Structure formats: C-alpha cells, structure tokens
Amino acid sequence: AVSWTIACRPQTFGNRSGTFRIQSNSSTGTMIDVGLSCTGEQGVLTVLPITSHDFGPVVVGTSAAFPIQLKNTGNVAVNMLAGALADTTKGYVFDPATVTPTTLAPGSSLPLTVTFTPTSGTSGGPVNLNFHGVWGTNNTQTTAALGLNGDGQVASFTATPTPLAFNSFRFDTAPTLQYHIKNTGDIAISIDSVTFTPDAGTAANEFNFTAVTAGTVLTSGQQIDVTVTALPNNRTGAIGGDRKSVVVG
C-alpha cells in the first residue's frame, strides 16, 4: 500500500479546489483522479466607499462630515475592533468609542463618521484614520486605513490705518486721507455694511467717504481704498468718529 499526505495551504480566503491524480505504471495503465477542496479563512477589514477622502477647503469655525463603512469582506469574524486617528492635532475628529460592536461577522459592516473641524489656517493636511482587529484562533491581525486630507481656511480682513489721524489743519480746508479694507484671509468675503458714528460734538456731515457698495466681494489679498474728507462746519475744535465695516465670509 502507498499513502500520501496532502495539505491545503491557501494563499487567500475562499474556496479552493484541485485534483490529485494517481497514475499507475501497470500494464493496464490505470489512472485515478481524486477531487480536492478546502476553504481558506481570513478576516479582512475594508473601508468603504473609498480608501481616501479630501475634505477640500473648510472655513475655521465650521465642520464637514464624511460617512464611511467599516466592513469585514472576509469569511470569518473579526474581533477586538478599534480605530483611531494617527494625528489628533490637525482638525480631524473621530470618536474611537463609536467603533462598536467590536466584532464584525463575515460580510457585515459598521457605519462610522469622521469630521474635519479646522481650528486655524494651519489645520488639515494628510492624516490616516486607522482600524485594526484580529481573526482566527491565532488572533491574526487585519488592518484598514482611510487617508484624510483637508485645508483649514480663515475668513479675515483689516481696515488700516487705524486710527486715521488728520492731526491739525485749517478749519477752512478739506484734507483727505485714505484707508484700506483688505481681505487678509483665505476665502472670499463680502462687505455687508459700512457705517459712520460721529463722536459727541461732531456732525455726521463733517466727514465724507467715497461710497462702498454693500455686497462688494473681495477675494483673498484684494483690497478697496476708501477716501475720507474732513469737512469741519467752518469751525475750530476736534472732530472725529468711528467707521465700522461689517463683512461676511
């Protein structure tokens, strides 16, 4: 009698089949085929629908969310699930406590959400959201990652110079000075309103301003120049007030 030992060593999970052929050198030339099959087992974590996500530009003070599915695409359960951001200082937010239950049966998935909440213009950049678990009697590890990117953007502007000082001048002259409203942020802003509040003892018509149209849009780095004319009502003494600009980003 002759015996053979045949082992199944699958390189990936799923059904595997083959044939073991026994060929005789007898005069009859008998040949026997023995069918073989086995199933490779593996727990596989996969992030769906994609393995990377770019939030793009997000304004500081706002938040953008991205829903994902963590799925076991293998054929045995994955246990001891956990997930965390590789860097928690870049404005991305993920709660590890949401990775529950900590076991995923074959084919099952877990809905999760990661958000980008920039706190400054330096927030963002590449960061991985990493997941891991184990499967089988040997607690073999399986991992998955979602690559994240984003760009924290700031909405800001300046009105300079401040104060706008005319200093002393003759009461019967009309000196002019300029100030500048500039978009110093990363995104476009819109001028909502520009108002003037005179100081006590100053008439509203003792300063004249070139018109600033509500709704004017300034792109990043763009500025408008406003000319201010001092027009004292044929009198001496101090004149002044506050010019307030309101913008929306």
Side-chain angles (χ1 to χ4, degrees):
V2 178
S3 63
W4 295 271
T5 299
I6 302 173
C8 177
R9 296 188 178 94
Q11 300 301 305
T12 186
F13 69 92
N15 295 327
R16 293 293 178 266
S17 61
T19 300
F20 179 63
R21 174 167 290 176
I22 304 171
Q23 180 74 53
S24 171
N25 62 359
S26 69
S27 59
T28 59
T30 304
M31 183 174 62
I32 301 174
D33 286 340
V34 180
L36 304 174
S37 66
C38 68
T39 300
E41 293 186 338
Q42 186 179 13
V44 181
L45 290 180
T46 304
V47 176
L48 299 173
I50 52 179
T51 57
S52 65
H53 177 68
D54 192 341
F55 287 97
V58 178
V59 179
V60 170
T62 65
S63 183
F66 181 63
I68 61 172
Q69 297 280 333
L70 181 63
K71 185 173 183 178
N72 179 1
T73 55
N75 57 2
V76 294
V78 176
N79 305 305
M80 300 174 61
L81 286 175
L85 289 162
D87 189 337
T88 59
T89 67
K90 300 295 186 180
Y92 304 107
V93 179
F94 178 77
D95 184 1
T98 60
V99 185
T100 182
T102 57
T103 294
L104 277 181
S108 63
S109 59
L110 178 64
L112 299 167
T113 300
V114 58
T115 60
F116 181 40
T117 308
T119 58
S120 71
T122 61
S123 294
V127 172
N128 274 357
L129 173 57
N130 298 315
F131 298 97
H132 61 85
V134 297
W135 59 272
T137 57
N138 294 323
N139 283 341
T140 303
Q141 190 171 80
T142 176
T143 62
L146 174 68
L148 301 173
N149 212 333
D151 182 15
Q153 298 200 329
V154 177
S156 62
F157 77 102
T158 59
T160 57
T162 182
L164 188 64
F166 284 88
N167 299 317
S168 298
F169 58 89
R170 285 177 54 91
F171 71 90
D172 56 352
T173 61
T176 62
L177 289 175
Q178 275 193 339
Y179 77 92
H180 318 284
I181 302 174
K182 183 175 182 178
N183 180 353
T184 56
D186 303 307
I187 64 171
I189 59 175
S190 174
I191 297 176
D192 186 62
S193 64
V194 180
T195 57
F196 174 66
T197 303
D199 292 342
T202 299
N205 64 358
E206 289 188 298
F207 285 100
N208 181 68
F209 304 86
T210 54
V212 178
T213 304
T216 298
V217 175
L218 299 180
T219 58
S220 180
Q222 187 179 8
Q223 73 175 34
I224 58 173
D225 303 319
V226 181
T227 300
V228 184
T229 305
L231 300 167
N233 289 333
N234 199 29
R235 67 176 180 85
T236 60
I239 60 174
D242 292 317
R243 178 78 160 172
K244 182 179 180 181
S245 302
V246 178
V247 304
V248 292

